[in-house]
Short mmCIF file of all heavy atoms in Angstrom, two decimals:
data_model
loop_
_atom_site.label_atom_id
_atom_site.label_comp_id
_atom_site.label_asym_id
_atom_site.label_seq_id
_atom_site.Cartn_x
_atom_site.Cartn_y
_atom_site.Cartn_z
N ALA T 135 129.01 96.39 170.75
CA ALA T 135 129.58 97.59 170.13
C ALA T 135 128.71 98.79 170.35
O ALA T 135 129.18 99.89 170.49
CB ALA T 135 129.77 97.34 168.68
N LEU T 136 127.32 98.58 170.38
CA LEU T 136 126.48 99.70 170.48
C LEU T 136 125.49 99.47 171.61
O LEU T 136 124.31 99.14 171.33
CB LEU T 136 125.71 99.91 169.15
CG LEU T 136 126.58 100.20 167.95
CD1 LEU T 136 125.71 100.18 166.65
CD2 LEU T 136 127.29 101.51 168.06
N PRO T 137 125.88 99.49 172.89
CA PRO T 137 125.02 99.24 173.97
C PRO T 137 123.93 100.25 174.11
O PRO T 137 124.13 101.41 173.90
CB PRO T 137 126.03 99.18 175.20
CG PRO T 137 127.11 100.15 174.75
CD PRO T 137 127.32 99.90 173.35
N GLY T 138 122.71 99.78 174.56
CA GLY T 138 121.67 100.61 174.82
C GLY T 138 120.85 101.05 173.61
O GLY T 138 119.95 101.95 173.82
N LEU T 139 121.16 100.61 172.45
CA LEU T 139 120.44 101.08 171.23
C LEU T 139 119.42 100.02 170.84
O LEU T 139 119.53 98.79 171.10
CB LEU T 139 121.44 101.18 170.07
CG LEU T 139 122.52 102.32 170.27
CD1 LEU T 139 123.37 102.47 169.06
CD2 LEU T 139 121.87 103.65 170.56
N ASP T 140 118.37 100.55 170.19
CA ASP T 140 117.28 99.72 169.82
C ASP T 140 117.41 99.30 168.35
O ASP T 140 116.95 99.85 167.37
CB ASP T 140 115.88 100.51 169.86
CG ASP T 140 114.66 99.68 169.51
OD1 ASP T 140 114.76 98.52 169.60
OD2 ASP T 140 113.66 100.30 169.12
N ILE T 141 118.22 98.22 168.11
CA ILE T 141 118.55 97.67 166.93
C ILE T 141 118.21 96.19 166.90
O ILE T 141 118.58 95.42 167.75
CB ILE T 141 120.11 97.79 166.56
CG1 ILE T 141 120.40 99.32 166.56
CG2 ILE T 141 120.37 97.18 165.23
CD1 ILE T 141 121.90 99.51 166.23
N HIS T 142 117.38 95.76 165.85
CA HIS T 142 116.93 94.41 165.72
C HIS T 142 117.51 93.86 164.41
O HIS T 142 117.55 94.51 163.40
CB HIS T 142 115.45 94.31 165.67
CG HIS T 142 114.74 94.97 166.86
ND1 HIS T 142 114.64 94.41 168.02
CD2 HIS T 142 114.23 96.22 167.06
CE1 HIS T 142 114.01 95.14 168.88
NE2 HIS T 142 113.73 96.34 168.28
N VAL T 143 117.87 92.55 164.45
CA VAL T 143 118.39 91.87 163.32
C VAL T 143 117.53 90.68 162.97
O VAL T 143 117.19 89.85 163.89
CB VAL T 143 119.88 91.35 163.64
CG1 VAL T 143 120.40 90.64 162.38
CG2 VAL T 143 120.73 92.48 164.09
N GLU T 144 117.04 90.64 161.78
CA GLU T 144 116.21 89.50 161.27
C GLU T 144 116.80 88.94 159.97
O GLU T 144 117.40 89.74 159.19
CB GLU T 144 114.77 90.01 161.04
CG GLU T 144 114.05 90.58 162.24
CD GLU T 144 113.94 89.45 163.36
OE1 GLU T 144 113.93 88.29 162.93
OE2 GLU T 144 113.75 89.91 164.52
N GLY T 145 116.62 87.65 159.77
CA GLY T 145 117.09 86.97 158.54
C GLY T 145 116.08 87.11 157.46
O GLY T 145 114.81 86.99 157.74
N LEU T 146 116.56 87.22 156.21
CA LEU T 146 115.69 87.28 155.01
C LEU T 146 116.40 86.45 153.94
O LEU T 146 117.21 87.02 153.21
CB LEU T 146 115.42 88.67 154.57
CG LEU T 146 114.49 88.82 153.36
CD1 LEU T 146 113.12 88.24 153.64
CD2 LEU T 146 114.41 90.29 152.94
N GLY T 147 116.06 85.21 153.76
CA GLY T 147 116.76 84.36 152.87
C GLY T 147 118.24 84.14 153.27
O GLY T 147 118.51 83.78 154.46
#
Side-chain angles (χ1 to χ4, degrees):
L136 303 170
L139 297 183
D140 181 23
I141 299 178
H142 306 279
V143 183
E144 300 296 337
L146 181 62

